[in-house]
């Protein structure tokens, strides 16, 4: 019997882990927790400072996951292209993007565009199409965001239930260093990588600067 099962409820899709039946993974951009983060906590979000989020900024989120970071960016007015390679997570995300939500949330969701793809393939095409952004038809985003699944999180208590289940489902993102290399090779002027606060830098890449919080860190690469 497979460990994970995707089921459709009246409220949308959810992923069930048969090893931990008390946990179900679902995405709800209208949840009070996320709304609280987006409204009252929004300005404190290190992510928004690292990206320098502002209306109209084009961000490519290469690791969409549960869509939380994409949502916070879109809520700040960014136009977000979300790349997610897991078919199941793409189904969960698409369902959440099409959910019946308030007008305000709907306008945020209208700035979030999901593509089911491996970001490495997308970045490779952007790198190959030309040497300047004009050659590439102006397709380069202003910022590329990468948030790979951390190899191990020592402070498990800091991982919430959904993120823990996501970790069990997708496993480690072993190709994170390759992804960062490709992002830098596109020539995009800013690449932001989320890491554990005490995690190593990804391979030989040295960030231009960092924003450090208790659990996470954002490494910013400017070029
Ligand atoms: C740690 S989670 C990202 C969480 C996300 N930032 C959020 O706010 O919910 C990493 C996600 O990136 C996806 N991912 C990792 N490498 C990828 C790649 N090369 N292309 C597309 N998706 C990728 C994984 O499938 C996983 O869903």
């Amino acid at each position: 019997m497979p460990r994970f099962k995707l089921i459709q409820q009246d409220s949308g899709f959810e992923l069930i882990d048969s090893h931990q039946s008390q946990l179900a993974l679902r995405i709800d951009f209208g949840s009070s927790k996320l709304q609280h983060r987006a409204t009252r906590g929004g300005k404190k979000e290190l992510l928004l400072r690292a990206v320098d989020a502002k209306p109209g900024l084009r961000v490519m989120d290469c690791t969409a996951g549960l869509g939380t970071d994409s949502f916070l960016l879109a809520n700040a007015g960014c136009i977000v292209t979300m790349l997610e390679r897991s078919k199941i997570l793409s189904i969960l995300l698409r369902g959440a993007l099409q959910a019946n939500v308030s007008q305000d949330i709907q306008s945020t969701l209208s700035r979030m565009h999901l593509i089911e793809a491996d970001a490495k393939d997308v970045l490779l095409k952007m790198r190959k199409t030309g040497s300047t952004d004009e050659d590439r038809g102006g397709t380069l985003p202003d910022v590329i965001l990468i948030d790979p699944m951390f190899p191990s999180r020592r402070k498990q208590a800091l991982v919430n239930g959904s993120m823990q289940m996501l970790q069990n489902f997708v496993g480690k993102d072993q190709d994170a260093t390759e992804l960062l290399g490709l992002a830098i090779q596109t020539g995009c002027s800013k690449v932001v990588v989320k890491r554990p606060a005490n995690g190593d830098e990804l391979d030989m890449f040295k960030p231009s600067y960092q924003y450090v919080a208790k659990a996470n860190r954002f490494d910013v690469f400017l070029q």
Side-chain angles (χ1 to χ4, degrees):
M1 200 183 87
R3 174 172 175 181
F4 295 97
K5 230 195 283 175
L6 185 68
I7 56 171
Q8 189 164 15
Q9 303 279 27
D10 289 346
S11 54
F13 287 100
E14 58 183 43
L15 187 67
I16 307 289
D17 182 353
S18 62
H19 291 190
Q20 286 177 292
S21 51
Q22 74 280 16
L23 276 184
L25 191 63
R26 64 178 76 85
I27 302 175
D28 176 9
F29 292 121
S31 74
S32 48
K33 194 171 163 203
L34 184 55
Q35 288 313 306
H36 178 80
R37 256 185 96 178
T39 49
R40 266 170 272 182
K43 289 193 186 73
K44 289 190 202 136
E45 291 286 342
L46 220 50
L47 166 74
L48 302 185
R49 286 171 55 199
V51 168
D52 195 16
K54 49 180 163 263
L57 191 83
R58 294 167 307 147
V59 181
M60 178 172 278
D61 181 352
C62 289
T63 48
L66 303 176
T68 308
D69 289 338
S70 289
F71 182 86
L72 293 172
L73 290 165
N75 184 63
C78 301
I79 316 289
V80 187
T81 301
M82 308 159 71
L83 304 177
E84 175 52 58
R85 64 180 164 191
S86 156
K87 191 173 205 53
I88 300 293
L89 278 167
S90 299
I91 292 173
L92 293 177
L93 281 168
R94 205 167 295 288
L97 290 169
Q98 291 167 354
N100 204 356
V101 284
S102 70
Q103 197 85 45
D104 272 4
I105 300 174
Q106 191 53 54
S107 91
T108 297
L109 300 189
S110 70
R111 290 188 286 277
M112 297 164 69
H113 310 283
L114 173 67
I115 301 174
E116 184 192 328
D118 190 314
K120 296 198 298 302
D121 298 334
V122 176
L123 296 175
L124 203 56
K125 274 194 202 130
M126 280 164 50
R127 188 185 72 161
K128 277 184 176 162
T129 327
S131 53
T132 68
D133 190 26
E134 214 167 82
D135 292 337
R136 285 173 270 229
T139 52
L140 265 191
D142 299 307
V143 180
I144 293 176
L145 173 66
I146 299 174
D147 173 19
M149 192 55 77
F150 303 148
S152 71
R153 303 209 197 205
R154 265 174 272 166
K155 293 189 177 175
Q156 278 299 314
L158 295 171
V159 184
N160 65 34
S162 304
M163 201 42 89
Q164 193 184 331
M165 186 163 162
L166 179 64
Q167 202 169 356
N168 293 340
F169 180 62
V170 298
K172 298 172 197 166
D173 289 326
Q174 305 279 14
D175 53 354
T177 305
E178 194 186 341
L179 191 58
L180 172 58
L182 287 169
I184 288 174
Q185 284 167 28
T186 62
C188 179
S189 54
K190 189 175 201 179
V191 179
V192 176
V193 183
K194 192 167 168 183
R195 303 281 299 146
N198 54 5
D200 295 338
E201 274 124 26
L202 287 177
D203 205 25
M204 70 288 195
F205 300 104
K206 289 279 162 251
S208 309
Y209 53 91
Q210 298 176 316
Y211 287 92
V212 186
K214 207 163 139 198
N216 297 325
R217 186 183 83 218
F218 290 90
D219 291 353
V220 181
F221 300 82
L222 300 178
Q223 47 181 352

